[in-house]
Amino acid sequence: MVGFQLLWNGIEAKTARVVVIGLGYVGLPVAARFAQAGFQVTGLDVDEAKVATIGAGGCPIEGEEPGLAELVAQVVATGRLHATTDYAVCDEADVILIAVETPIDSVHQPRYKALRAALRELEPHLKAGTMVIVESTIAPGTMAKLVRPTLQAHGRRQAGRDFYLVHCPERVMPGALLAKLTHMSRVVGGHTPDAARLARVFYGHVVEADLDLTDCVTAELVKTAENSFRDVQIAFANELALICEQVGADVWQVRDLVNKSPGRDVLSPGAGVGGHCIPKDPWLLAYGASDMITAKLIPAAREINDYMPLHVAELTVDALKEVGVEIEDARVAVLGYAYLENSDDTRNAPSITLINRLEELGAEVRVHDPYVAGYQGALAERVRGCDAVVLMVKHDRYRHIDLGQLREWLTSPGSRDERRQGTQPVLVDGRHVFDRDRVGASGFVFRGVGIG
Ligand SMILES: NC(=O)c1ccc[n+]([C@@H]2O[C@H](COP(=O)([O-])OP(=O)(O)OC[C@H]3O[C@@H](n4cnc5c(N)ncnc54)[C@H](O)[C@@H]3O)[C@@H](O)[C@H]2O)c1
């Protein structure tokens, strides 16, 4: 293919012009890191507000994200990173990364609205000799069935002849985006071996870990399989927790002892699994071959994990009943709205399911989260006068709550209705933050996931 050496040299010398399509949790840190490494980078997004924020050196991602805001400010100030909504920037790009969202719909199927739109917009701007890298997570077969055909749709360009095509899925995680980007190994799936080799040189500028070369479908499988594996393992821990509750055992003790057995590593059970990736990547894996094989284990694990916030609602109802409060009459404070500790990311957050369920049952729900807009503010104000507090996210703010103080906020005279005076408050722990005995000694009626 023409242009191999030219592109190779440009990448090595960092003179290759880079465009990153999609400036979210993945695309923004990726764009900033390549800019920091010395490339001229343009970030491209359809979200005008996001583009304006980044263009002014701001960081639209809230929560604890070490180094990201400073890095974005720095690379924008030095002119290495620009942001735009205009696909015309792709006319001159040598390397184009795509990091748009790839959610599933209500029947667990990928529709790829954002990915299709990005590819269609990009196609007329794709110059010969460019490398296109899809970083988004996609179902096995998507590079061959959707990405390549869309970029070749009008016969202008053909992968392997006119442009290089690569799938290099991301392994970052909110809370450590830059660190993971730098230190996690990557799977580099090339449509051709040359494409994979070029991508390895490119990523070598920012990734300080293995860059494993393979083909596109293997890369698709590896990414969706690693998250499916985790989901299945979490589901096992959750199912074990549900069994422990029923037989009157403590799952944390059981887990510790099981893990003493060689080769066993039971994960932590909890109030559910959220985020953009783990709840949908297993469905992407299952979808990849759904016309030939019906997955059984993957959907079962999804069902267990989806049930956990509903189970927390059941624990809350049960504990309230114990103190003589009916759920339709209760005021419940939910602590944590993000899906992950110390993050502002609320996508597929288990708290959303819990809150909906409690409201469906007639409870008045108040939500607190130090990182999520709309739920910030004084914790004392949010929990004052509530019958129950349900901890859903292990934010640092909640790890060291003084239980005596919490009880005081809940029960102090004037904070509760007359009819509740003397009623014990309820504490439900979805994340194993509190010690059952300590909570009991503080005057709460306690329920915890996995604690019978
Ligand atoms: N969030 C994570 O921790 C993580 C980790 C690994 C992999 N991934 C994968 O990376 C991909 C991106 O995830 P994310 O969390 O960054 O998503 P995100 O929603 O935070 O960001 C996606 C961005 O793409 C933009 N966008 C949508 N359509 C566009 C278009 N047609 N043109 C230009 N921009 C467009 C959106 O406005 C948004 O800013 C997904 O496939 C996800 O599964 C995410």
Side-chain angles (χ1 to χ4, degrees), residues 242-249 452:
L242 296 173
I243 293 168
C244 286
E245 276 178 37
Q246 292 309 314
V247 299

Side-chain angles (χ1 to χ4, degrees), residues 22 24-26 45 50 87 101-102 137 172 174 276-277 280 347:
Y25 288 89
V26 167
D45 205 293
K50 205 176 257 191
Y87 270 83
E101 69 271 22
T102 49
T137 307
V172 295
H276 181 49
C277 298
K280 58 98 179 166
R347 289 178 292 179

Side-chain angles (χ1 to χ4, degrees), residues 86-105:
D86 188 355
Y87 270 83
V89 289
C90 298
D91 288 335
E92 302 300 323
D94 302 303
V95 179
I96 297 172
L97 295 108
I98 301 178
V100 298
E101 69 271 22
T102 49
I104 49 166
D105 65 11

Side-chain angles (χ1 to χ4, degrees), residues 221-237 263 265 267 278 281-283 285 297-298 301-302 305:
L221 280 159
V222 170
K223 174 65 200 180
T224 50
E226 64 198 30
N227 278 352
S228 306
F229 181 71
R230 189 153 182 85
D231 198 49
V232 168
Q233 287 199 318
I234 295 170
F236 176 79
D265 187 12
L267 298 184
I278 303 259
D281 291 355
W283 292 117
L285 176 60
L297 180 61
I298 291 168
R302 284 281 66 243
N305 290 337

